[in-house]
Amino acid sequence: MSAPISRFPVPDIADLPADLRERVLAVQEKSGFVPNVFLALAHRPEEFRAFFAYHDALMEKRTGLTKAEREMIVVATSGVNDCLYCVVAHGAILRIRAKNPRLGEQVAVNYRKAEITPRQRAMLDFAVKVTTRSAEVDDQDYATLAAHGFAPDDIWDIAAIAAMFAMSNRLANALGIRPNDEFYAMGR
Amino acid sequence: MSAPISRFPVPDIADLPADLRERVLAVQEKSGFVPNVFLALAHRPEEFRAFFAYHDALMEKRTGLTKAEREMIVVATSGVNDCLYCVVAHGAILRIRAKNPRLGEQVAVNYRKAEITPRQRAMLDFAVKVTTRSAEVDDQDYATLAAHGFAPDDIWDIAAIAAMFAMSNRLANALGIRPNDEFYAMGR
Amino acid sequence: MSAPISRFPVPDIADLPADLRERVLAVQEKSGFVPNVFLALAHRPEEFRAFFAYHDALMEKRTGLTKAEREMIVVATSGVNDCLYCVVAHGAILRIRAKNPRLGEQVAVNYRKAEITPRQRAMLDFAVKVTTRSAEVDDQDYATLAAHGFAPDDIWDIAAIAAMFAMSNRLANALGIRPNDEFYAMGR
Amino acid sequence: MSAPISRFPVPDIADLPADLRERVLAVQEKSGFVPNVFLALAHRPEEFRAFFAYHDALMEKRTGLTKAEREMIVVATSGVNDCLYCVVAHGAILRIRAKNPRLGEQVAVNYRKAEITPRQRAMLDFAVKVTTRSAEVDDQDYATLAAHGFAPDDIWDIAAIAAMFAMSNRLANALGIRPNDEFYAMGR
Amino acid sequence: MSAPISRFPVPDIADLPADLRERVLAVQEKSGFVPNVFLALAHRPEEFRAFFAYHDALMEKRTGLTKAEREMIVVATSGVNDCLYCVVAHGAILRIRAKNPRLGEQVAVNYRKAEITPRQRAMLDFAVKVTTRSAEVDDQDYATLAAHGFAPDDIWDIAAIAAMFAMSNRLANALGIRPNDEFYAMGR
Amino acid sequence: MSAPISRFPVPDIADLPADLRERVLAVQEKSGFVPNVFLALAHRPEEFRAFFAYHDALMEKRTGLTKAEREMIVVATSGVNDCLYCVVAHGAILRIRAKNPRLGEQVAVNYRKAEITPRQRAMLDFAVKVTTRSAEVDDQDYATLAAHGFAPDDIWDIAAIAAMFAMSNRLANALGIRPNDEFYAMGR
């Protein structure tokens, strides 16, 4: 009755190249399950590697934006793009990282009403602008963020996370990646 | 730290006209809390009465669409309108009525990927058309729904629920009605 | 050759529940004809009662906004939603209440060029924002209206009228309610 | 209290070049007043001549589309562009040419619900496509119109009238041309 | 293999009315080829005359905006309208008149990043507003342009060029006018 | 007078990590210059590596879609996103790979009028759907592409290239990456 994990074949974990298998098993050990995006992208090992290398560079960084803030960007922009996989999976991570069981839905549905700071609101305004009309980004946007205390490299991070999930949302939507049932209940 | 219930004064339950108080206490007994929309609209008793009379006529009806289907329409159209209150409150009711803890987020974010039947998909396609471009509703829409087994009065129901929440979403957004924390955890 | 009054059956006035019949006959006596929205909604007496109770609470109120201003909000937002019934019927009422035979078309087509005051312009800017992007309503909107002299409850009225006609426009469009010929000539 | 005729200086009729004066006096004799678009564009005689030469070539043509149909195209597309001048002025002409006092508002607000034939509906569907997304016009559009009995040169006419009023609407809106009061009452 | 010049018959130059033939031969002598818009519109001599009379009045004017600036307006607005003919043909003319081989693509794709002055940026902001939402043009737009040193008649020119190419883009798109191969290489 | 390469610091090639330096020097040797995207992204070596690993996996693949077709997808979707860098750089590559000096502008401005095959048209229709409304991708899209002879992994490629440039366009726009002057003249 449940939809398939992806519109494309999903390889057995045992058949994966060693580096992918290691990554998949590590996330399984940490989370208790394998998020479907790992299985779906494993159909193309080279793209899997590039995707998660990019992801980790942006999402696991330890300076500047907090990890919860990085997830806010993912959830707000994935909401704009109507990406079920990313809203559900990253909504769960956001609830956990922010220790707030309401934040996932708030940021996905209307971040303007979420329980966030004015600084975070400015961050999400910019992220959504990058998502919906990046051709209009201008000096004023940079000045507004600077006035909220964001360093230039923080601004790069906001833009790059919004950009990376513009990709990720389209992949998940077009390849039909189904969110794991486990995500829905996490962090409540 | 939490946002207020509404941008407008919220009356004490004790001060409400008897019929409103009775309604509020009944919902409190049934749910364990008073949904904020009751408190917010109680600022205007006459409008409160009309709003809930309309709501009950459409949402509590026992023939035609199931109660879960009625909630699907609310959640899908409220998602389109970015209404946090309605997505959170009716997402909870949908999870409960459909006995599916995933359905709230699925229908709010992208009903095309939700765990619903093709008939329900057609129902939501029409509801979203009423929400976003009602001036284009035509004979073909009615014929498509009839082919899925919807009786004419079912079609009225779909249209009317979408219409009523076009109102409700705008009220909640413009008056700044905050969803109760309780809703987030219900039906998980 | 003329389109039917509604896509749904229209009851005989004689067969209506007493309270509906009384309301319909009263409007007929006052206007000289029965506006089709009364006949169309009479197919569902319970919804008829709720709809007009809400309508009257918002449109017949004697304090705050003038009746002409309330009609301006209806006509401007119905124009945005391309609702023929509401533009034609309420355009007529607006012409009469404002004693200006040009105002119906001006407000429906482009309220920014209508013969209205700057205060009314601000009122319609807000009403149209509630109509098209209510999720973005914020403190600044309230402050702008307050600066034009609107009391908080006036702002509620503007929002609620825009919201109610977001519903009404969708009902009229989706149910296919035809404007009575009489409206076109009224107040010219 | 009334807005000026245009944001730009309006010349005295007596000071106009002879050919413009003749045209203006002819329309005044026929209509009983001088439509403001003549006065506004007379600020630039060369453009006035080109504009009305184009207008007459498309709108006064005696073969193919009827004159009422040509006005339908103007009114439908001007409604889409929210051009008050063109909706009011050409709505009046449409009412007169079609001998139907309701048609102006119907076509301006939602031509899908207007008292027109299916052939005219197809004509307006195409005109509105030219107005809003001309880059997507394709062979199928031509085939649909041919199936409704439109000759190739009729299709050119539909496209060219929609195109000309894409210009005219923007001129009237940007230059701030006010519709004459007389138009509102004509053909009722 | 190449697409036809137009969806409509293209007359032989020898068969054209004398004034059209003269115009066509003049442009051929100057450019080395006949731009297809001349051949396509020659199917309707009266419209050809009006079109080019309007074009010349706006584009060949020797005061106020420079000829390169006039072409910038054409290219920016044609880019917004996705008009291949106008972007290619006027992109070429812009490269030549501005003596900048990059300016055609810059202005067509995103004029905000083009090698232009702040004054020209303001000019194009206004032109694009006239193109996309002319109903919202207001006093503030005129004031902004005046602050950049534009005289009132310069503002008329900007608006009128944007308006004329709103027409021209729709004609070229709907009639299927193919850009001549020669344009692509000019001014590189 | 020229804009900077990026809003962020651009490292000296000599200071780059060895693998980045090698990559940059290789492209310089092949093209005669260093495309600015290499210099801009070199500010973040880890992201540089992931970005180009992804890019190469999708764009340098030797089976399925031709390299020219891959560039068509880039140019069409970058046109939709108004990304000057990507339209200019990949327009040049497309002209070269397709050996058609007109194809860059055609595909960027309106791919529906480009000199491409019906199969390529279907490919770009899907790529643009992934770009603008990926949440609506459905079985019918896959069936349409299959009917044009695309294998499932070709469809993945189309979706993934559109997705990757949804990211790339937003990065280039938000970081302000300027296209090198050399691109404008290549392949003409």
Side-chain angles (χ1 to χ4, degrees), chain E residues 34-163:
Chain E
V34 183
N36 287 336
V37 67
F38 288 91
L39 300 175
L41 295 188
H43 176 60
R44 298 266 188 109
E46 221 178 335
E47 296 169 33
F48 177 109
R49 289 180 192 109
F51 182 91
F52 287 106
Y54 215 137
H55 175 276
D56 294 353
L58 292 171
M59 301 304 291
E60 304 296 337
K61 208 174 159 186
R62 290 171 183 284
T63 55
L65 309 179
T66 67
K67 285 195 178 179
E69 286 170 341
R70 294 171 195 270
E71 294 297 331
M72 284 177 200
I73 298 168
V74 176
V75 174
T77 62
S78 300
V80 168
N81 289 325
D82 298 335
C83 179
L84 184 64
Y85 185 87
C86 297
V87 165
V88 169
H90 288 273
I93 303 175
L94 173 56
R95 290 192 296 271
I96 290 168
R97 294 206 162 159
K99 300 189 199 325
N100 180 337
R102 296 173 302 281
L103 210 51
E105 271 153 305
Q106 290 173 355
V107 171
V109 176
N110 189 0
Y111 70 91
R112 298 169 200 85
K113 307 232 167 153
E115 298 168 19
I116 58 177
T117 64
R119 185 178 179 274
Q120 290 165 340
R121 163 71 191 262
M123 175 185 82
L124 295 182
D125 281 340
F126 180 66
V128 167
K129 183 170 183 179
V130 170
T131 301
T132 57
R133 43 196 185 95
S134 67
E136 298 176 29
V137 168
D138 60 17
D139 293 349
Q140 184 55 53
D141 295 312
Y142 276 71
T144 300
L145 290 167
H148 277 282
F150 290 102
D153 269 290
D154 296 336
I155 303 178
W156 176 302
D157 277 2
I158 302 170
I161 294 169

Side-chain angles (χ1 to χ4, degrees), chain C residues 3 11 112 149:
Chain C
R112 297 168 200 84

Side-chain angles (χ1 to χ4, degrees), chain B residues 10-75:
Chain B
V10 167
D12 278 350
I13 295 178
D15 299 337
L16 291 178
D19 61 326
L20 271 66
R21 194 170 57 237
E22 189 176 338
R23 173 80 191 239
V24 165
L25 293 176
V27 70
Q28 187 177 36
E29 183 165 319
K30 186 177 164 199
S31 311
F33 65 97
V34 183
N36 287 336
V37 68
F38 288 91
L39 300 176
L41 294 188
H43 176 61
R44 297 264 189 112
E46 221 179 336
E47 296 169 36
F48 177 108
R49 290 180 191 109
F51 182 91
F52 287 107
Y54 216 137
H55 175 276
D56 295 353
L58 292 171
M59 301 304 290
E60 303 296 336
K61 207 174 160 186
R62 291 172 182 282
T63 56
L65 310 180
T66 67
K67 285 194 177 179
E69 286 171 341
R70 293 171 196 271
E71 294 297 330
M72 284 178 200
I73 298 169
V74 176
V75 174

Side-chain angles (χ1 to χ4, degrees), chain F residues 67-145:
Chain F
K67 284 194 178 180
E69 286 170 342
R70 293 171 196 271
E71 294 297 331
M72 283 178 202
I73 297 169
V74 176
V75 175
T77 61
S78 300
V80 167
N81 288 326
D82 299 335
C83 179
L84 184 63
Y85 186 88
C86 298
V87 165
V88 168
H90 288 273
I93 304 174
L94 173 56
R95 289 191 297 270
I96 290 168
R97 294 205 163 158
K99 300 188 198 328
N100 179 338
R102 296 173 301 280
L103 211 52
E105 272 153 305
Q106 289 173 357
V107 171
V109 177
N110 188 0
Y111 70 91
R112 298 169 200 85
K113 307 232 167 152
E115 298 168 20
I116 59 177
T117 65
R119 185 178 179 275
Q120 290 165 340
R121 164 69 191 264
M123 174 184 83
L124 295 181
D125 281 340
F126 180 65
V128 168
K129 183 169 182 178
V130 171
T131 303
T132 57
R133 45 197 183 95
S134 67
E136 299 176 29
V137 168
D138 60 18
D139 293 348
Q140 184 55 53
D141 295 312
Y142 275 72
T144 298
L145 289 167

Side-chain angles (χ1 to χ4, degrees), chain A residues 44 47 134 142 156-157 173-174, chain F residues 44 47 142 156-157 173-174:
Chain A
R44 299 265 188 108
E47 296 170 35
S134 67
Y142 276 71
W156 176 303
D157 277 1
N173 277 337
Chain F
R44 297 265 189 108
E47 296 169 34
Y142 275 72
W156 176 302
D157 277 1
N173 276 337

